Amino acid sequence: MSELRDSFGRSIDNVRISVTDRCNFRCSYCMPEEGMVWMKKGELLTFEEIEKLVEILARLGVSKVRLTGGEPLMRRDLHLLVSKVSGVQGIRDLALTTNGYFLKDQAQALVEAGVRRMTVSMDSLDPSTFAEMTRRDYFERVQEGLAVLRGLPVGPTKINVVLVKGVNEREIESFADLARREPYIVRFIEYMPIGAGDGWDYSKVVPTKDVVARIEQRFPKLDPVEYHGSQPADRYRFADGVGEIGFISSVSDPFCSHCNRIRITSDGRLRTCLFSLTEIDLKSMLRSGASDGEVAETIIAAVRNKER
């Protein structure tokens, strides 16, 4: 039982840890094409500091860790961090989210070090649309990485697709077909506001209900496997048992009421929600010599105040 419970009764057992703010893509819904200013190396949590935070969190009941970025595989020798985190007592699931560019070279080392599941962001199956959305001509490179991943003892791999009306919505059926042909769980994510100035417009959102309707016009009916569970994605399988689809309905049907996760930014700040306006500086506590107990109490207090 997790010691991390908020005032609304939600139990926290899942942490997302950003290992870097850097990314080699410039996805149109995530960041501007130019002008990004990256953190200096000394501002980032060290591998040892991340390991220490995971140890503290594990003692509080956290059992699932997901490494993210930026693009996490841009952090040099990431497999060494994976090895540290996967060895922490109480951690039973270590996952990673990536844009896939570096998988071809790093996937095997990461899996051998302890990554159990991977999620690859891939918003289009068409090279030109992929390049339009990511502002990078890296489609083939990502495909090569996925091919390497398929040969490794990890999985099932999830493919995250951010749908933007007028850009890639025409590919809904193609992605559904991919989920039936290949060992991937395709997850459609509603286009959501990330931050000020990101150009978000509600008219560009493709609601989940519309996606379901389109898929069921061509393929067998979708049967729910997990709806409003502890994960952000509602899971469905096709009625004939071939293939799984997930929906993260961040705009039309938010999953806040059953959220079981917290986040740690690459510079060591605890956020109890992706959209939280409050951050707790855990890095400064670690570097000023705070005890594990003091850090734990700070985390417990922050979770207790987690937003509705």
Side-chain angles (χ1 to χ4, degrees), residues 38-55:
W38 310 114
M39 295 179 187
K40 296 178 181 178
K41 183 178 179 180
E43 297 179 67
L44 301 175
L45 287 173
T46 66
F47 286 177
E48 290 72 24
E49 288 168 339
I50 293 174
E51 180 184 22
K52 171 59 68 177
L53 288 176
V54 171
E55 289 173 344

Side-chain angles (χ1 to χ4, degrees), residues 133-201:
M133 295 188 71
T134 64
R135 301 189 179 109
R136 294 292 186 270
D137 188 16
Y138 293 158
F139 180 79
E140 292 302 328
R141 174 82 179 195
V142 174
Q143 297 306 303
E144 291 171 352
L146 283 169
V148 171
L149 198 56
R150 282 194 57 179
L152 297 174
V154 63
T157 297
K158 295 175 182 175
I159 303 292
N160 277 356
V161 185
V162 176
L163 286 175
V164 182
K165 186 173 292 186
V167 181
N168 64 340
E169 64 176 320
R170 66 184 181 278
E171 299 187 60
I172 290 171
E173 291 84 357
S174 296
F175 274 108
D177 183 59
L178 179 70
R180 291 174 61 79
R181 291 186 293 103
E182 304 287 353
Y184 302 137
I185 298 174
V186 172
R187 306 198 304 176
F188 293 105
I189 303 175
E190 290 181 343
Y191 175 46
M192 60 180 159
I194 300 296
D198 63 0
W200 184 80
D201 183 345

Side-chain angles (χ1 to χ4, degrees), residues 2-42:
S2 177
E3 293 185 39
L4 298 176
R5 297 186 67 84
D6 66 21
S7 61
F8 305 102
R10 295 172 296 198
S11 181
I12 306 302
D13 65 359
N14 192 317
V15 62
R16 297 174 64 96
I17 302 175
S18 172
V19 299
T20 181
D21 62 325
R22 294 175 183 265
C23 187
N24 58 323
F25 285 23
R26 294 293 182 274
C27 296
S28 57
Y29 54 80
C30 184
M31 62 176 63
E33 187 170 5
E34 299 177 344
M36 292 296 298
V37 178
W38 310 114
M39 295 179 187
K40 296 178 181 178
K41 183 178 179 180

